[in-house]
Amino acid sequence: MSVVIITDSTSYLSPAIIDQYQIKLIPLNIHINGESFKEGQKYTNETYYNLLKNNPIFPTTSQPSTGEFLEVFEQLLPGDQALIILISSGISGTVQSAQIARSMVTTPDVSITIVDSVYAAMGLGFQVIRACELLEDGKNIAEIVDELNRIRTRMQLFFVVNDLEYLSRGGRISKIGSVVGNILKLKPVLSLEDGEIGLFEKVRTFPKAVGLIRDQLIKEKSHIEKICVIHVNAPELAEALKKELEAIFTIPIIISEPGPVIGSHVGPGTIGLCYY
């Protein structure tokens, strides 16, 4: 009997972490310029984001199919357990695909637990890593799920987009709103609340917006366990924010770059913080 951890590509875990814990990864899909591909299997992040910046196109994204999940689930042996931790059901149908696949599994005596992370990017990634750590420590699935529930009650994910055009392309704001916002240099500070993208604050300039999310983190300094600086095609900004935070916090601060599925909707130049 074995226990398997499965997640999707929007966890954006490093190859080292995936190899260390033998995590099974199921990719989401990107559709652009008449072609479709699995996240992480065609473009590097840099190449993909340069494509977005230099072409008036809007990609679409989609969840893995039920069949893709079923193929992975059918590899489980009798007595095996699987813990599936996935992108928020509020922004993707990935959880639904997994649930349908679970109902179709024919292998007897297999336990499949599906967790809606209510997050994406490192909001999801942090939960997957913690689950793997606990599994390595000998915790059972119920104990791991309890810990993930605790993490989610403390977690925050804020991000600032550099260009409102990408949110407009994705239908998050109107075209007129994006034009006016860009002219006025308004920078919305967005967050994931109850699994969906919401407006946290509107700030006049990008530096002030980044300062706002930094200050939100500092307010909670006394009980922070993990911190990640998130960026989309903005490594210099991410490094600068990391150094700023390292002067304040003693815990390790990591940097993570979301790939095409998340990056397509927020656009190059986005910077954010995820912590709990």
Side-chain angles (χ1 to χ4, degrees):
M1 182 187 78
S2 63
V3 181
V4 181
I5 303 289
I6 302 172
T7 189
D8 65 72
S9 60
T10 68
S11 57
Y12 302 119
L13 298 172
S14 69
I17 290 291
I18 293 169
D19 289 343
Q20 177 182 351
Y21 294 113
Q22 294 297 294
I23 300 165
K24 290 187 179 293
L25 200 69
I26 299 180
L28 275 72
N29 308 293
I30 299 95
H31 314 280
I32 184 170
N33 279 353
E35 66 170 333
S36 298
F37 61 94
K38 302 292 182 187
E39 185 169 45
Q41 296 182 9
K42 183 174 177 64
Y43 296 101
T44 64
N45 284 357
E46 183 178 8
T47 300
Y48 183 80
Y49 293 133
N50 283 335
L51 180 67
L52 283 194
K53 288 189 289 187
N54 295 317
N55 295 277
I57 53 177
F58 175 66
T60 58
T61 59
S62 61
Q63 72 263 29
S65 68
T66 295
E68 289 173 286
F69 276 106
L70 184 59
E71 183 178 350
V72 173
F73 294 168
E74 291 286 10
Q75 294 172 15
L76 298 170
L77 300 176
D80 283 352
Q81 300 178 70
L83 177 60
I84 327 296
I85 311 169
L86 301 170
I87 182 175
S88 170
S89 60
I91 55 178
S92 172
T94 301
V95 167
Q96 183 181 33
S97 288
Q99 290 171 334
I100 295 171
R102 179 175 57 185
S103 71
M104 300 168 67
V105 172
T106 57
T107 307
D109 195 26
V110 166
S111 172
I112 298 174
T113 302
I114 298 171
V115 173
D116 182 346
S117 74
V118 198
Y119 281 92
M122 276 308 294
L124 166 58
F126 273 142
Q127 293 181 57
V128 176
I129 292 170
R130 186 64 181 137
C132 291
E133 292 171 345
L134 292 173
L135 183 60
E136 204 169 61
D137 289 342
K139 302 299 183 183
N140 61 39
I141 297 293
E143 291 170 320
I144 294 172
V145 170
D146 284 345
E147 171 65 359
L148 298 186
N149 290 338
R150 183 193 73 85
I151 287 174
R152 284 196 299 276
T153 64
R154 299 166 60 94
M155 186 172 282
Q156 298 283 2
L157 196 161
F158 296 106
F159 57 102
V160 184
V161 299
N162 187 49
D163 187 342
L164 290 168
E165 174 66 18
Y166 294 95
L167 287 171
S168 173
R169 291 179 190 180
R172 297 296 180 183
I173 59 174
S174 70
K175 180 68 176 177
I176 292 175
S178 69
V179 171
V180 171
N182 282 330
I183 289 173
L184 296 177
K185 297 186 178 179
L186 293 176
K187 300 299 178 184
V189 176
L190 304 172
S191 66
L192 274 178
E193 289 290 336
D194 299 321
E196 298 184 350
I197 296 175
L199 176 65
F200 180 72
E201 190 71 72
K202 287 182 181 177
V203 183
R204 182 52 64 91
T205 67
F206 192 86
K208 287 184 178 179
V210 175
L212 181 86
I213 63 174
R214 177 202 61 214
D215 292 345
Q216 283 295 124
L217 168 61
I218 293 171
K219 285 178 185 177
E220 302 180 54
K221 180 182 176 183
S222 62
H223 63 261
I224 298 297
E225 300 173 42
K226 302 287 184 181
I227 301 173
C228 178
V229 177
I230 298 170
H231 76 93
V232 176
N233 199 226
E236 296 86 1
L237 286 173
E239 285 290 349
L241 182 54
K242 178 185 177 183
K243 287 181 180 178
E244 207 175 331
L245 295 174
E246 284 176 335
I248 301 168
F249 292 87
T250 57
I251 62 175
I253 297 168
I254 63 173
I255 292 177
S256 175
E257 182 180 35
V261 168
I262 299 299
S264 293
H265 295 284
V266 297
T270 295
I271 191 94
L273 285 172
C274 180
Y275 57 89
Y276 70 88

